[in-house]
Amino acid sequence: MSTVTRDRPGTTQDPRRSTTGPPVEAARAARGCVIAVLQRIVEVLDGRRPSDHLSPVVTVEVFEQIAVALRRREDDVARAPVRGPAVRLRRVHLQMVSLRAANYFGTVERGARTRAVAGRVELRTVRSPGRQAVERWMLTEFAIL
């Protein structure tokens, strides 16, 4: 049996659907990570940031995928330099799969052209040389469509 409480006249709140607590905090942290990392990726692909800035926040597979895209971009730029407006991250949506993983999707745009981005972010234990192991949200999958 579920208990429903009234906060204000005409509204009800199910206590199982809290707006605070671990699930909401995990979703906020994951979304914050996704926005920050996607912004970095967009800046790297646009040539405004070095790719080394991605290594602490993406997996090796995602880093290699972006490196391949950069090599293709450099070949294209050598033939016809890219000019015009910078790429901008427009929207990001997140669907939590568990407290330690979420799928994301969103849009980026350059001028009048809009493209979709999608992938996965996971909470992983990361060990850096000379530092203690920490848990950090990392992009584990990435695609621009």
Side-chain angles (χ1 to χ4, degrees):
M1 180 174 188
S2 173
T3 305
V4 177
T5 59
R6 269 191 201 281
D7 289 343
R8 289 177 262 139
T11 64
T12 59
Q13 181 181 13
D14 187 340
R16 295 174 296 175
R17 296 191 53 134
S18 174
T19 57
T20 60
V24 173
E25 291 170 10
R28 284 184 184 141
R31 187 171 191 276
C33 169
V34 168
I35 290 170
V37 174
L38 287 179
Q39 187 63 45
R40 283 186 193 183
I41 290 172
V42 163
E43 291 171 2
V44 166
L45 292 174
D46 209 26
R48 294 180 282 146
R49 180 186 286 259
S51 61
D52 294 346
H53 289 193
L54 297 177
S55 58
V57 291
V58 300
T59 60
V60 172
E61 296 81 12
V62 172
F63 189 83
E64 289 172 359
Q65 177 185 355
I66 292 169
V68 167
L70 282 173
R71 282 192 293 275
R72 270 193 238 128
R73 181 184 157 275
E74 287 171 0
D75 290 344
D76 292 342
V77 169
R79 283 184 255 130
V82 176
R83 292 196 176 94
V87 178
R88 296 183 343 178
L89 180 63
R90 296 299 296 169
R91 297 180 189 270
V92 174
H93 303 278
L94 191 81
Q95 178 66 49
M96 294 299 291
V97 177
S98 71
L99 289 176
R100 301 184 61 84
N103 295 323
Y104 67 86
F105 60 96
T107 55
V108 294
E109 68 179 29
R110 177 192 292 259
R113 185 173 181 176
T114 301
R115 297 181 76 181
V117 293
R120 184 176 181 93
V121 64
E122 296 177 2
L123 190 59
R124 295 216 173 155
T125 302
V126 180
R127 290 181 175 80
S128 299
R131 293 190 179 166
Q132 200 171 17
V134 295
E135 287 199 328
R136 180 186 309 160
W137 287 98
M138 294 189 71
L139 236 66
T140 58
E141 295 180 31
F142 172 75
I144 295 182
L145 310 172

PDB file of all heavy atoms in Angstrom, residues 21-32 94 96 98-100 102 123 137:
ATOM      1  N   GLY A  21      18.176  12.881  -2.644  1.00  0.00           N
ATOM      2  CA  GLY A  21      18.647  11.555  -2.279  1.00  0.00           C
ATOM      3  C   GLY A  21      19.587  10.992  -3.317  1.00  0.00           C
ATOM      4  O   GLY A  21      19.867  11.625  -4.339  1.00  0.00           O
ATOM      5  N   PRO A  22      20.086   9.795  -3.067  1.00  0.00           N
ATOM      6  CA  PRO A  22      21.107   9.205  -3.949  1.00  0.00           C
ATOM      7  C   PRO A  22      20.748   9.134  -5.429  1.00  0.00           C
ATOM      8  O   PRO A  22      21.572   9.510  -6.258  1.00  0.00           O
ATOM      9  CB  PRO A  22      21.319   7.814  -3.346  1.00  0.00           C
ATOM     10  CG  PRO A  22      20.933   7.972  -1.918  1.00  0.00           C
ATOM     11  CD  PRO A  22      19.818   8.986  -1.900  1.00  0.00           C
ATOM     12  N   PRO A  23      19.548   8.686  -5.833  1.00  0.00           N
ATOM     13  CA  PRO A  23      19.290   8.614  -7.284  1.00  0.00           C
ATOM     14  C   PRO A  23      19.338   9.984  -7.968  1.00  0.00           C
ATOM     15  O   PRO A  23      19.890  10.122  -9.052  1.00  0.00           O
ATOM     16  CB  PRO A  23      17.890   8.008  -7.385  1.00  0.00           C
ATOM     17  CG  PRO A  23      17.693   7.287  -6.102  1.00  0.00           C
ATOM     18  CD  PRO A  23      18.461   8.072  -5.071  1.00  0.00           C
ATOM     19  N   VAL A  24      18.779  10.993  -7.321  1.00  0.00           N
ATOM     20  CA  VAL A  24      18.778  12.330  -7.916  1.00  0.00           C
ATOM     21  C   VAL A  24      20.186  12.908  -7.918  1.00  0.00           C
ATOM     22  O   VAL A  24      20.615  13.516  -8.897  1.00  0.00           O
ATOM     23  CB  VAL A  24      17.792  13.254  -7.172  1.00  0.00           C
ATOM     24  CG1 VAL A  24      17.901  14.682  -7.671  1.00  0.00           C
ATOM     25  CG2 VAL A  24      16.373  12.736  -7.345  1.00  0.00           C
ATOM     26  N   GLU A  25      20.927  12.701  -6.834  1.00  0.00           N
ATOM     27  CA  GLU A  25      22.304  13.191  -6.778  1.00  0.00           C
ATOM     28  C   GLU A  25      23.171  12.521  -7.841  1.00  0.00           C
ATOM     29  O   GLU A  25      24.001  13.174  -8.483  1.00  0.00           O
ATOM     30  CB  GLU A  25      22.883  12.970  -5.385  1.00  0.00           C
ATOM     31  CG  GLU A  25      22.254  13.854  -4.334  1.00  0.00           C
ATOM     32  CD  GLU A  25      22.646  13.469  -2.917  1.00  0.00           C
ATOM     33  OE1 GLU A  25      23.556  12.626  -2.751  1.00  0.00           O
ATOM     34  OE2 GLU A  25      22.042  14.005  -1.993  1.00  0.00           O
ATOM     35  N   ALA A  26      22.979  11.223  -8.042  1.00  0.00           N
ATOM     36  CA  ALA A  26      23.739  10.509  -9.075  1.00  0.00           C
ATOM     37  C   ALA A  26      23.398  11.060 -10.455  1.00  0.00           C
ATOM     38  O   ALA A  26      24.287  11.263 -11.288  1.00  0.00           O
ATOM     39  CB  ALA A  26      23.448   9.009  -9.006  1.00  0.00           C
ATOM     40  N   ALA A  27      22.125  11.318 -10.711  1.00  0.00           N
ATOM     41  CA  ALA A  27      21.705  11.855 -12.005  1.00  0.00           C
ATOM     42  C   ALA A  27      22.287  13.247 -12.233  1.00  0.00           C
ATOM     43  O   ALA A  27      22.753  13.566 -13.337  1.00  0.00           O
ATOM     44  CB  ALA A  27      20.183  11.888 -12.097  1.00  0.00           C
ATOM     45  N   ARG A  28      22.275  14.084 -11.201  1.00  0.00           N
ATOM     46  CA  ARG A  28      22.847  15.430 -11.341  1.00  0.00           C
ATOM     47  C   ARG A  28      24.338  15.364 -11.617  1.00  0.00           C
ATOM     48  O   ARG A  28      24.864  16.089 -12.469  1.00  0.00           O
ATOM     49  CB  ARG A  28      22.584  16.239 -10.078  1.00  0.00           C
ATOM     50  CG  ARG A  28      21.173  16.730  -9.974  1.00  0.00           C
ATOM     51  CD  ARG A  28      20.983  17.609  -8.766  1.00  0.00           C
ATOM     52  NE  ARG A  28      19.582  17.985  -8.651  1.00  0.00           N
ATOM     53  CZ  ARG A  28      18.929  18.063  -7.517  1.00  0.00           C
ATOM     54  NH1 ARG A  28      19.538  17.816  -6.375  1.00  0.00           N
ATOM     55  NH2 ARG A  28      17.658  18.407  -7.506  1.00  0.00           N
ATOM     56  N   ALA A  29      25.048  14.497 -10.883  1.00  0.00           N
ATOM     57  CA  ALA A  29      26.493  14.367 -11.089  1.00  0.00           C
ATOM     58  C   ALA A  29      26.790  13.830 -12.486  1.00  0.00           C
ATOM     59  O   ALA A  29      27.697  14.325 -13.169  1.00  0.00           O
ATOM     60  CB  ALA A  29      27.091  13.450 -10.024  1.00  0.00           C
ATOM     61  N   ALA A  30      26.037  12.839 -12.932  1.00  0.00           N
ATOM     62  CA  ALA A  30      26.241  12.264 -14.264  1.00  0.00           C
ATOM     63  C   ALA A  30      25.971  13.306 -15.346  1.00  0.00           C
ATOM     64  O   ALA A  30      26.745  13.435 -16.306  1.00  0.00           O
ATOM     65  CB  ALA A  30      25.346  11.047 -14.462  1.00  0.00           C
ATOM     66  N   ARG A  31      24.889  14.061 -15.197  1.00  0.00           N
ATOM     67  CA  ARG A  31      24.553  15.074 -16.197  1.00  0.00           C
ATOM     68  C   ARG A  31      25.613  16.170 -16.240  1.00  0.00           C
ATOM     69  O   ARG A  31      26.011  16.629 -17.311  1.00  0.00           O
ATOM     70  CB  ARG A  31      23.173  15.671 -15.925  1.00  0.00           C
ATOM     71  CG  ARG A  31      22.708  16.597 -17.030  1.00  0.00           C
ATOM     72  CD  ARG A  31      21.246  17.010 -16.844  1.00  0.00           C
ATOM     73  NE  ARG A  31      20.757  17.680 -18.021  1.00  0.00           N
ATOM     74  CZ  ARG A  31      20.936  18.978 -18.269  1.00  0.00           C
ATOM     75  NH1 ARG A  31      21.610  19.730 -17.431  1.00  0.00           N
ATOM     76  NH2 ARG A  31      20.448  19.521 -19.375  1.00  0.00           N
ATOM     77  N   GLY A  32      26.075  16.588 -15.071  1.00  0.00           N
ATOM     78  CA  GLY A  32      27.140  17.598 -15.031  1.00  0.00           C
ATOM     79  C   GLY A  32      28.394  17.126 -15.737  1.00  0.00           C
ATOM     80  O   GLY A  32      29.034  17.872 -16.480  1.00  0.00           O
ATOM     81  N   LEU A  94      19.477  12.960 -20.231  1.00  0.00           N
ATOM     82  CA  LEU A  94      20.111  11.831 -19.570  1.00  0.00           C
ATOM     83  C   LEU A  94      19.054  10.847 -19.097  1.00  0.00           C
ATOM     84  O   LEU A  94      18.014  11.255 -18.593  1.00  0.00           O
ATOM     85  CB  LEU A  94      20.907  12.362 -18.371  1.00  0.00           C
ATOM     86  CG  LEU A  94      21.855  11.414 -17.695  1.00  0.00           C
ATOM     87  CD1 LEU A  94      23.149  11.351 -18.486  1.00  0.00           C
ATOM     88  CD2 LEU A  94      22.151  11.899 -16.295  1.00  0.00           C
ATOM     89  N   MET A  96      19.066   7.618 -16.581  1.00  0.00           N
ATOM     90  CA  MET A  96      19.837   6.777 -15.667  1.00  0.00           C
ATOM     91  C   MET A  96      19.476   5.315 -15.903  1.00  0.00           C
ATOM     92  O   MET A  96      18.302   4.960 -15.963  1.00  0.00           O
ATOM     93  CB  MET A  96      19.567   7.158 -14.211  1.00  0.00           C
ATOM     94  CG  MET A  96      20.045   8.538 -13.816  1.00  0.00           C
ATOM     95  SD  MET A  96      21.813   8.803 -13.980  1.00  0.00           S
ATOM     96  CE  MET A  96      22.456   7.757 -12.687  1.00  0.00           C
ATOM     97  N   SER A  98      21.328   2.925 -13.990  1.00  0.00           N
ATOM     98  CA  SER A  98      21.522   2.509 -12.609  1.00  0.00           C
ATOM     99  C   SER A  98      22.159   3.687 -11.884  1.00  0.00           C
ATOM    100  O   SER A  98      22.355   4.744 -12.487  1.00  0.00           O
ATOM    101  CB  SER A  98      22.421   1.271 -12.539  1.00  0.00           C
ATOM    102  OG  SER A  98      23.755   1.613 -12.872  1.00  0.00           O
ATOM    103  N   LEU A  99      22.503   3.505 -10.621  1.00  0.00           N
ATOM    104  CA  LEU A  99      23.178   4.587  -9.898  1.00  0.00           C
ATOM    105  C   LEU A  99      24.597   4.813 -10.419  1.00  0.00           C
ATOM    106  O   LEU A  99      25.218   5.829 -10.118  1.00  0.00           O
ATOM    107  CB  LEU A  99      23.226   4.296  -8.399  1.00  0.00           C
ATOM    108  CG  LEU A  99      21.893   4.384  -7.659  1.00  0.00           C
ATOM    109  CD1 LEU A  99      22.062   3.978  -6.202  1.00  0.00           C
ATOM    110  CD2 LEU A  99      21.314   5.781  -7.764  1.00  0.00           C
ATOM    111  N   ARG A 100      25.121   3.871 -11.222  1.00  0.00           N
ATOM    112  CA  ARG A 100      26.497   3.959 -11.707  1.00  0.00           C
ATOM    113  C   ARG A 100      26.602   4.079 -13.225  1.00  0.00           C
ATOM    114  O   ARG A 100      27.707   4.066 -13.764  1.00  0.00           O
ATOM    115  CB  ARG A 100      27.286   2.747 -11.224  1.00  0.00           C
ATOM    116  CG  ARG A 100      27.318   2.633  -9.697  1.00  0.00           C
ATOM    117  CD  ARG A 100      28.190   1.491  -9.251  1.00  0.00           C
ATOM    118  NE  ARG A 100      29.572   1.641  -9.656  1.00  0.00           N
ATOM    119  CZ  ARG A 100      30.492   2.353  -8.997  1.00  0.00           C
ATOM    120  NH1 ARG A 100      30.172   2.995  -7.912  1.00  0.00           N
ATOM    121  NH2 ARG A 100      31.736   2.409  -9.437  1.00  0.00           N
ATOM    122  N   ALA A 102      24.545   5.777 -17.024  1.00  0.00           N
ATOM    123  CA  ALA A 102      23.461   6.526 -17.664  1.00  0.00           C
ATOM    124  C   ALA A 102      23.735   6.620 -19.161  1.00  0.00           C
ATOM    125  O   ALA A 102      24.882   6.635 -19.595  1.00  0.00           O
ATOM    126  CB  ALA A 102      23.359   7.923 -17.066  1.00  0.00           C
ATOM    127  N   LEU A 123      30.121   5.515 -13.766  1.00  0.00           N
ATOM    128  CA  LEU A 123      30.919   5.851 -12.593  1.00  0.00           C
ATOM    129  C   LEU A 123      31.972   4.763 -12.443  1.00  0.00           C
ATOM    130  O   LEU A 123      31.652   3.596 -12.251  1.00  0.00           O
ATOM    131  CB  LEU A 123      30.022   5.917 -11.350  1.00  0.00           C
ATOM    132  CG  LEU A 123      30.650   6.487 -10.089  1.00  0.00           C
ATOM    133  CD1 LEU A 123      31.135   7.906 -10.302  1.00  0.00           C
ATOM    134  CD2 LEU A 123      29.640   6.440  -8.948  1.00  0.00           C
ATOM    135  N   TRP A 137      32.926   9.956 -12.893  1.00  0.00           N
ATOM    136  CA  TRP A 137      32.096   9.696 -14.063  1.00  0.00           C
ATOM    137  C   TRP A 137      32.970   9.817 -15.292  1.00  0.00           C
ATOM    138  O   TRP A 137      33.718  10.781 -15.442  1.00  0.00           O
ATOM    139  CB  TRP A 137      30.939  10.701 -14.141  1.00  0.00           C
ATOM    140  CG  TRP A 137      29.887  10.448 -13.109  1.00  0.00           C
ATOM    141  CD1 TRP A 137      29.755  11.077 -11.911  1.00  0.00           C
ATOM    142  CD2 TRP A 137      28.829   9.492 -13.177  1.00  0.00           C
ATOM    143  NE1 TRP A 137      28.678  10.562 -11.236  1.00  0.00           N
ATOM    144  CE2 TRP A 137      28.086   9.597 -11.991  1.00  0.00           C
ATOM    145  CE3 TRP A 137      28.433   8.561 -14.138  1.00  0.00           C
ATOM    146  CZ2 TRP A 137      26.983   8.810 -11.738  1.00  0.00           C
ATOM    147  CZ3 TRP A 137      27.334   7.772 -13.880  1.00  0.00           C
ATOM    148  CH2 TRP A 137      26.612   7.894 -12.701  1.00  0.00           C
TER     149      TRP A 137
END
